[in-house]
Amino acid sequence: PLTADRRGYEQLRLALEIHAPVDLLILHLGTNELRPMFGLSAEMIAVSVQRLVTLARTSEFRAGRILLLAPHPLLPDYDRMRFGFLFSPGGYEKSCALAKAYEQAARAEDVDFFDCGSLKMELNQIDGIHYNRRDIRRLADKVTELAREILVQ
């Protein structure tokens, strides 16, 4: 709500049109929604992601397949690091609940799912929120593997 150009729904509609045809849409969102200013539970964040899935399926420029990635949980001590104040209180607990909520959303929407938490990432030690270079490489390799599997089905 603070930045007009950071609303996923409108951005997704445009991205689908610009990149059509989209064989595989990968949605990896939800960490910023953990901020208390939004007042959202993990389940509410998952419902918001489901709206994006619905858009991707019903748009004139719809995606062929959809892979939903649950973000990696924050580090338990993120609140003592840079930007921790933006995600406190309860950010860590909510971030841990995202995977289950996203998995349920993926099942309900019949889309592919992967829990980034299963990669046991180190995360950026400056803020405990963002992925570091090694994490990004590991995630890129895993998503590439998943994309190949999904697209040959």
Side-chain angles (χ1 to χ4, degrees):
L2 301 178
T3 311
D5 63 343
R6 299 232 176 136
R7 299 185 53 87
Y9 196 85
E10 288 83 9
Q11 294 296 319
L12 178 57
R13 182 187 313 276
L14 181 60
L16 288 168
E17 180 178 349
I18 290 170
H19 299 288
V22 175
D23 296 322
L24 175 63
L25 173 67
I26 301 169
L27 293 174
H28 185 210
L29 305 164
T31 302
N32 285 324
E33 287 72 20
L34 295 169
R35 296 158 91 182
M37 66 184 264
F38 298 119
L40 300 172
S41 67
E43 294 76 18
M44 292 166 75
I45 295 169
V47 166
S48 295
V49 171
Q50 281 182 267
R51 283 190 67 224
L52 298 176
V53 169
T54 299
L55 171 63
R57 284 195 167 138
T58 60
S59 167
E60 177 183 351
F61 302 100
R62 66 183 133 269
R65 296 284 297 269
I66 301 169
L67 171 60
L68 178 57
L69 303 179
H72 194 285
L74 308 179
L75 290 180
D77 59 347
Y78 79 93
D79 55 338
R80 290 181 282 168
M81 299 176 178
R82 185 183 296 176
F83 309 124
F85 68 94
L86 292 173
F87 291 83
S88 296
Y92 172 70
E93 292 77 16
K94 277 199 265 186
S95 74
C96 290
L98 278 178
K100 180 180 178 186
Y102 274 40
E103 185 173 20
Q104 290 173 343
R107 278 194 196 124
E109 297 297 330
D110 193 28
V111 299
D112 295 288
F113 170 77
F114 179 72
D115 174 11
C116 293
S118 68
L119 294 175
K120 306 290 186 219
M121 295 185 194
E122 296 170 5
L123 299 186
N124 180 314
Q125 297 298 305
I126 295 171
D127 64 25
I129 298 165
H130 294 95
Y131 302 158
N132 65 33
R133 287 178 190 243
R134 183 171 172 258
D135 295 335
I136 291 169
R137 168 68 6 208
R138 290 178 60 214
L139 180 57
D141 291 344
K142 183 62 181 179
V143 170
T144 299
E145 174 189 324
L146 292 169
R148 286 184 177 130
E149 290 172 9
I150 290 167
L151 292 173
V152 297
Q153 291 179 1

